[in-house]
Amino acid sequence: MTNSVSTRIQGRLLEAANDVAVEHALHSHWSIFHLWHYFGAHENAIAPVESVWDETAPFVSCLGLAYLVQRDLKCKLQSDPELVSFQDKVQIMTNVTVADSNRYQYHVIVVFEFDQSCIVVDVGYHPTAIQLTLGETFHMEVSAKFNGILVQSVMRYIKRGGRKLLQTAFSALAFPGAQQENISITDRIKPLPPKKGVNVRMLVNEEPRSIPSIECDGKYIIHSCQCSVDFGKRSVWLQIPNEDWIQRHANSAFRD
């Protein structure tokens, strides 16, 4: 824990964390498909962790996002004489639950912890850094599913039994990425991986009218493309904003 940190310094740390978060929100794209493909191609290989994300770049899992955010945030703090002492306080935190006997469900984030507050970077679920005081609830980025339903994760910073906890609601299966399931196709049973997804954000100048967005320095961060690969149904779903992107004159080359 980082004790007795002034409000001004916390503000500067939040600004630094936000710069790194937005950079990766726009240029590092969440993908389970690419991680699954990497481990499928390197089934028996052991490699330095950075080589995994270099090879799959710009597509990464929540683990990759946390690793890259921690690395870049430490580098940013190292170049600032007032903040350099905090570079070793950039923590990676995870929660792991057992989905069934063969699969683990987990999520990974980056955190600064203070006496009564914390700074969180969770690029997979929110494109900017978050600051929470103890007992506070934060409603994260709204996203649209393929069926049109809007969903939103919630993060709470709570104290329970003398321990401080970040309580979250997550649904992404991150690792291992190549679990096999028996799925019937044309009357035969074949081992297939579960459904994989890719999510890409971008920055637009005008506030969207039909899709959720997060304001950032006078512009807006949106989910510009979501892709779902379903091996069992032999289908690929692609979701791209219509009114707020593809129908705009500047993007006519993508539709004509």
Side-chain angles (χ1 to χ4, degrees):
M1 182 186 298
T2 304
N3 296 310
S4 304
V5 178
S6 70
T7 301
R8 185 182 68 82
I9 293 296
Q10 288 188 40
R12 292 208 60 212
L13 290 170
L14 177 62
E15 182 179 356
N18 193 66
D19 288 345
V20 174
V22 170
E23 178 69 18
H24 282 289
L26 295 175
H27 299 107
S28 297
H29 309 307
W30 181 88
S31 171
I32 297 303
F33 181 87
H34 292 81
L35 183 64
W36 165 76
H37 184 269
Y38 175 89
F39 281 108
H42 301 79
E43 187 174 355
N44 298 313
I46 299 176
V49 65
E50 60 270 15
S51 68
V52 176
W53 313 123
D54 287 342
E55 189 161 332
T56 64
F59 300 100
V60 291
S61 68
C62 63
L63 176 60
L65 282 168
Y67 168 80
L68 295 172
V69 166
Q70 184 192 47
R71 181 198 66 185
D72 292 352
L73 184 50
K74 282 186 172 184
C75 184
K76 189 176 184 70
L77 298 180
Q78 193 172 25
S79 64
D80 189 315
E82 191 174 39
L83 302 180
V84 64
S85 62
F86 293 93
Q87 63 175 325
D88 293 330
K89 307 297 184 183
V90 186
Q91 305 176 62
I92 284 182
M93 298 179 67
T94 185
N95 65 332
V96 180
T97 57
V98 179
D100 56 41
S101 59
N102 295 313
R103 292 186 296 173
Y104 293 91
Q105 183 171 322
Y106 80 92
H107 190 65
V108 189
I109 59 177
V110 174
V111 177
F112 276 117
E113 188 181 5
F114 309 107
D115 284 336
Q116 297 295 318
S117 66
C118 66
I119 293 171
V120 179
V121 180
D122 182 6
V123 176
Y125 283 85
H126 197 78
T128 62
I130 303 162
Q131 185 162 27
L132 291 164
T133 56
L134 198 57
E136 186 178 2
T137 296
F138 183 85
H139 294 271
M140 303 177 81
E141 180 184 32
V142 176
S143 61
K145 295 296 185 182
F146 286 95
N147 57 9
I149 294 175
L150 299 180
V151 296
Q152 184 178 44
S153 291
V154 174
M155 180 173 287
R156 299 180 181 90
Y157 188 36
I158 62 173
K159 193 170 186 178
R160 180 182 297 165
R163 298 176 59 204
K164 295 176 184 176
L165 302 171
L166 276 169
Q167 191 177 62
T168 55
F170 298 114
S171 60
L173 180 64
F175 185 83
Q179 291 295 330
Q180 295 185 336
E181 299 175 353
N182 288 328
I183 301 175
S184 178
I185 299 179
T186 61
D187 299 322
R188 291 183 296 171
I189 302 298
K190 293 185 177 181
L192 293 173
K195 189 162 54 176
K196 306 296 177 186
V198 180
N199 197 342
V200 178
R201 291 188 181 99
M202 70 179 297
L203 197 65
V204 296
N205 294 322
E206 299 177 39
E207 183 176 9
R209 291 178 291 181
S210 301
I211 59 172
S213 63
I214 298 290
E215 195 275 333
C216 180
D217 295 331
K219 296 186 178 182
Y220 300 88
I221 298 174
I222 64 169
H223 288 276
S224 57
C225 178
Q226 296 185 79
C227 178
S228 177
V229 181
D230 192 321
F231 297 91
K233 295 180 179 179
R234 293 180 291 182
S235 65
V236 176
W237 288 77
L238 193 65
Q239 181 169 274
I240 299 173
N242 185 36
E243 178 185 2
D244 290 302
W245 196 78
I246 199 68
Q247 292 300 328
R248 291 192 172 177
H249 178 72
N251 301 318
S252 59
F254 294 98
R255 66 175 188 269
D256 297 338

